[in-house]
Each structure stands twice: as structure tokens, then as C-alpha cells.
Amino acid sequence: MLFPPQKIYVETVRRIKRISRQIAEYLRISGPFNIQFLAKDNDVMVIECNLRASRSFPFISKVLKTNFIEIATQVMLGLPVTKPDKTLFDIDHVGVKASQFSFSRLQKADPVLGVDMVSTGEVGCIGDGYYEAILKAMLSVGYAVPKKGVLFSSGPARSKMELLNSARMLSELGLSIYATGGTHDFFLQTGVPSEMLRWPDDSDGPNVIDFLREKKIDLVINIPKDLSKGELDNDYRIRRSAVDFNIPLITNARLASAFIYAVCKVPPDEIAITSWQEY
């Protein structure tokens, strides 16, 4: 979770505020509530609305430096309340809330994310900018800056395009780029050097599982492609092997791209160690 949002239309924000106000008035809500929206090209839809404070509530309070818990309590008690006047443009920092998962403790579980809540904890970090905040949060939940090689199994064409610049940046840093068949062919056509690794069910070498077992790879990016049996089996074995061999795994192209950009733009030894009060 990124706050303030960095890539969202102003019109989308306006529509979200208007819809939230209408729902609160219609349901006569006086305390904290949580709405999940789906937005695409300024079309905004409500997924769900819950009359409770979400886990994002204290995180937003920290980033905005506004005590929403105190305000909500005053509202529910009918006490006078001064409306907060701070806007997103008044914040000189960025907050990122990253999820912590425990797939390594769940044998044979597929470490791929969907709409279900499967995180076992979260970390909230603040940075001076977008990439610093992302890098802080990802490192805090157990990811590491890759130093040997990165495996790309990038799934559909859209994900391949989204990860192209990321792979190029890692290659320019001198890291080895490994890729499964389709991704390797795509990189070959676009000028990104990579070594092709065979799928887990392929008897020919070099095989991706062997490279994971030998720790030649220290970051796995695996984007599910389709629901065919071969894809499902091979992708699952790659993801599960990454977890079993304690290798960081990312299964979302946008997050993978953001993390790699952060790694390339913010050297780990330049990450600012700053207390919350200093922001």
C-alpha cells in the first residue's frame, strides 16, 4: 500500500471522495469505515464497504501525522471536531505498508497472491521519496537486494513489457539475468542478454530448479500466465522452490518493477535511517 498515491488520476480521487461522502451520508456513518474501490480509466466501482477501522487506519494517521483515532472518538461521542485541513500535497514524504507472509511454514502451499487475506503481518515505512519508501518496506519484510542473478518468468505479454526496463537495468548493473523460454525469447528480441533455463518438467538442462537449489539466483519473479496444466504445474514448482530454498519471490509485475527500480535508484548504504518524528 502506497500513500500518498503516486500514480492516480486527479479525477479518480475526486470521484472516490464524492462516492465516499454519499455512502457515509446514506448509511449515516459517524465513525471510521473502510471502502475498497476498483478504479480504471476514471471508472470507479465499490467492491465493499465495512463499518470498522481497517489496519490502514493507524498507518494513514502516521503518514499524515493526523490522529484519526482521536478524531473518530470525538465524533462518536458527539464532541466538537475540527475538520483536518491537511491535503496530499502538504506531505513531503511517502509511506509504504508491505505485507509479511509465512508461506515457508505452510508446506506445499502455493505462494501466489489473490483477493484473499493471507498476510501474517505488515510493516509500515516512510521515505523521502517513492523508491526509498518501497525499498525500506520490502527490505523490512524479508526481501534482499539481489547480488547474483534474477530469474524472470514473466507470464503474459503485458507483464513482459512491464518488466522489460527492469531487466535491462539489472543487466546494466552486472547481474545475471535468467529467464524461462518465452521470456528469454522476448528479451532476445528486445536486446536484453539472458540465459534460458528449462522448465521444471523438462529433462534437458540447464533446469531452473537446479539453479534455485544451487543458490545461483537470489530473486525470483514469477507471473502466472494462464490456467493450462503445464503452466500451472511449472509455475507452482518454481514458486514453491523459491520459498523452500529461502529465495525472495515476487508474483506481481508492477511490484517487481517498482522493487527493481528502487534497488537500482537507491543504493542500500544511502537509505536514510530517520525517526518518525523527523518527518
Side-chain angles (χ1 to χ4, degrees):
M1 176 181 174
L2 185 66
F3 185 78
Q6 303 293 299
K7 298 178 181 179
I8 186 171
Y9 296 120
V10 174
E11 177 61 23
T12 295
V13 176
R14 290 178 59 235
R15 294 185 183 187
I16 286 174
K17 290 179 67 175
R18 183 171 64 248
I19 293 170
S20 301
R21 189 181 303 112
Q22 291 172 342
I23 290 176
E25 290 175 352
Y26 183 81
L27 297 178
R28 292 185 292 178
I29 301 172
S30 59
F33 64 106
N34 169 37
I35 304 180
Q36 293 189 30
F37 292 95
L38 184 65
K40 182 179 181 181
D41 298 330
N42 284 329
D43 291 327
V44 180
M45 292 176 285
V46 175
I47 299 175
E48 63 182 20
C49 175
N50 302 300
L51 294 179
R52 59 170 176 80
S54 67
R55 290 185 297 177
S56 304
F57 201 59
F59 173 70
I60 298 300
S61 294
K62 288 285 189 180
V63 178
L64 267 178
K65 288 209 163 186
T66 301
N67 193 334
F68 287 115
I69 286 78
E70 181 179 6
I71 294 172
T73 304
Q74 292 171 340
V75 170
M76 288 186 286
L77 292 175
L79 299 175
V81 175
T82 302
K83 181 180 178 180
D85 58 358
K86 190 177 293 184
T87 71
L88 302 182
F89 301 104
D90 297 325
I91 308 172
D92 293 327
H93 49 268
V94 176
V96 171
K97 181 160 69 74
S99 298
Q100 174 77 58
F101 301 97
S102 298
F103 290 116
S104 59
R105 300 183 182 182
L106 303 173
Q107 292 185 4
K108 299 184 179 180
D110 189 352
V112 66
L113 303 180
V115 297
D116 300 324
M117 178 63 71
V118 294
S119 64
T120 52
E122 293 172 321
V123 170
C125 292
I126 298 176
D128 288 328
Y130 171 61
Y131 293 117
E132 184 188 17
I134 286 177
L135 188 57
K136 280 183 177 180
M138 295 290 281
L139 294 177
S140 297
V141 294
Y143 286 82
V145 175
K147 300 182 182 301
K148 300 177 184 177
V150 179
L151 171 67
F152 286 83
S153 181
S154 54
R158 180 173 180 175
S159 298
K160 286 180 170 61
M161 287 300 301
E162 198 160 8
L163 290 166
L164 176 60
N165 285 335
S166 303
R168 185 173 285 123
M169 291 169 70
L170 289 174
S171 178
E172 291 172 353
L173 282 180
L175 273 73
S176 299
I177 305 297
Y178 302 100
T180 51
T183 304
H184 171 73
D185 292 341
F186 175 75
F187 285 165
L188 198 61
Q189 296 168 8
T190 50
V192 177
S194 67
E195 179 179 348
M196 189 182 79
L197 300 182
R198 302 285 183 178
W199 287 108
D201 64 357
D202 195 331
S203 58
D204 295 333
N207 192 283
V208 61
I209 301 299
D210 294 333
F211 272 59
L212 292 173
R213 183 183 296 110
E214 294 166 9
K215 295 294 182 75
K216 295 180 179 179
I217 296 167
D218 47 11
L219 175 63
V220 174
I221 298 168
N222 177 267
I223 315 299
K225 182 177 181 181
D226 55 44
L227 299 179
S228 64
K229 187 179 186 305
E231 287 283 347
L232 288 173
D233 289 347
N234 281 311
D235 280 337
Y236 164 73
R237 290 182 62 185
I238 290 175
R239 291 191 294 268
R240 191 61 234 179
S241 296
V243 170
D244 291 339
F245 295 129
N246 198 29
I247 299 172
L249 167 70
I250 301 178
T251 60
N252 179 279
R254 183 167 294 181
L255 176 61
S257 178
F259 177 58
I260 291 171
Y261 267 71
V263 165
C264 295
K265 290 179 177 292
V266 183
D269 57 353
E270 294 183 12
I271 295 176
I273 301 175
T274 310
S275 69
W276 173 71
Q277 289 83 359
E278 294 178 75
Y279 286 101

